Amino acid sequence: MSPLDWNRDGLIWPHRDASRFVEVAGKRWHVQRMGAGPPLLLLHGTGASVHSWRGLMPLLAAQHDVIACDLPRHAFTTGHNAYAMSLPAMAREVQGLIDTLGVVPQAIIGHSAGAAIALQLALDHGHTGPIVGLSAALRPFPGALAQIFPAVAKALFVNPLVPRIFTGSIDLVGGPERFLWRSTHSRIDAQGLACYARLLKASGHAGGALAMMANWDLPGLRARMGAVHNRVLLLHGANDPAIPPDWARDAARWLPDARLELLPRLGHLAHEEAPEIAAERIALFIETAASQGVRP
C-alpha cells in the first residue's frame, strides 16, 4: 500500500505552510506547528490527521506553541511498523517525537483515541500536566465485545485486500459526507470533508487505522485509570453516536480528577463543528490548572 503523496494529496491540507517533516529513528513524521508560548500537543483520533485541528489550532496558537502530528501510519506519517501500533507503543512513538522536538507540553489535547494516547503518556512517560479529551474513546466495549472487536480488526488487518475493499466501498455507502454523518453526527466544513474524502479513499491510511484498532487495548488502560493523577477535562458532543455520552460518564468516574462537559447539539467531531466553543473551554481549563499550580 503506497502512502499519500504530500506533493499531490497534501496540496489541499489546511495550514500547509505550518507543516514540516521530522525524522525520528527511521520514521518520518508529518508535524504542524504554529504560535508561541507554552507548548500544547494535539493528538487526533483513529483514521484522522492534523487536518482535524484546522479550526481549533489557530485559536489555541494565539497563546501557545501548538504542535500537531499525524499519528503513526496515518496520513503523511510513514515508516512505522504495522505491528507496533498498540496503545503503549504509540505513546512511546509520540514521546520519541516530542523528545526530538525538544518540547515538554504544558497540556495534551486528544480527540477520540488520541485521548487514550494522552493518558498513556501520563502513565508511562511522566506527563503531569492537564489533559483534555475531546469525545474521548476511553471506555472498553462491554463484555465479550472487548475481546471480539480487536480480534476482528486484527483478522481484517492481516488480509491485505481489506483496506482496498474498504476504500473502494465508500461510494457505495453514499460517499464520504454521508459516511461521516452516519458515523459521527457532525456537520463539518467543505475543507474538512475534502481531506476526509482523500483519507477515506487511501488504502495505506485505511490500513494504518485498521492496524491501530487491531492492537488497541482499552481494557488494559481501564485497569490503570485510577493511577492517572492528571487533571482531566472531557469535552463530549451530546449527539455523539460513536462514543455515547454514557460511556463518557463512565470514564469520568474512573479517573481520579476528571470533569465531563457535554456540548449540546454536537457530534463526535464537535471540535471541528464548533472550534470556538472547544477553544474557549480548553483555554479556561488550562488557565485554571496553571493558576492552581498544575505544571507538566
Side-chain angles (χ1 to χ4, degrees), residues 16 45 75 140 169 204 213 239 261 271 280:
R16 181 180 168 90
S169 67
M213 289 187 289
N239 292 338
E261 295 183 15
H271 65 297
E280 181 182 2

Side-chain angles (χ1 to χ4, degrees), residues 106 130 231 282-296:
Q106 179 190 33
R231 179 165 293 178
I282 291 167
L284 178 60
F285 174 65
I286 293 173
E287 180 181 345
T288 302
S291 68
Q292 295 176 354
V294 178
R295 301 291 181 186

Side-chain angles (χ1 to χ4, degrees), residues 185-244:
H185 284 186
S186 289
R187 300 287 189 193
I188 63 173
D189 60 18
Q191 187 178 36
L193 282 172
C195 292
Y196 277 116
R198 195 66 56 94
L199 293 173
L200 287 169
K201 293 191 174 185
S203 59
H205 175 83
L210 274 172
M212 187 173 174
M213 289 187 289
N215 290 282
W216 219 233
D217 181 21
L218 284 179
L221 178 62
R222 163 68 185 95
R224 299 181 64 193
M225 280 190 188
V228 175
H229 299 298
N230 307 66
R231 179 165 293 178
V232 178
L233 172 65
L234 300 177
L235 291 177
H236 208 91
N239 292 338
D240 187 348
I243 313 293

Side-chain angles (χ1 to χ4, degrees), residues 89-214:
M90 291 191 78
R92 185 169 59 248
E93 294 292 335
V94 171
Q95 184 63 46
L97 171 64
I98 61 177
D99 286 345
T100 298
L101 294 175
V103 297
V104 178
Q106 179 190 33
I108 302 177
I109 301 160
H111 172 245
S112 195
I117 298 173
L119 293 182
Q120 198 75 42
L121 284 164
L123 289 165
D124 292 350
H125 301 282
H127 171 69
T128 59
I131 292 172
V132 179
L134 302 168
S135 294
L138 302 177
R139 186 191 190 282
F141 284 94
L145 287 176
Q147 285 74 44
I148 293 172
F149 179 76
V152 171
K154 191 176 291 290
L156 293 174
F157 167 65
V158 298
N159 183 341
L161 294 177
V162 168
R164 295 187 183 277
I165 293 170
F166 172 78
T167 56
S169 67
I170 291 299
D171 290 334
L172 299 178
V173 296
E177 184 171 6
R178 183 169 175 79
F179 175 82
L180 279 174
W181 168 250
R182 290 174 62 184
S183 58
T184 69
H185 284 186
S186 289
R187 300 287 189 193
I188 63 173
D189 60 18
Q191 187 178 36
L193 282 172
C195 292
Y196 277 116
R198 195 66 56 94
L199 293 173
L200 287 169
K201 293 191 174 185
S203 59
H205 175 83
L210 274 172
M212 187 173 174
M213 289 187 289

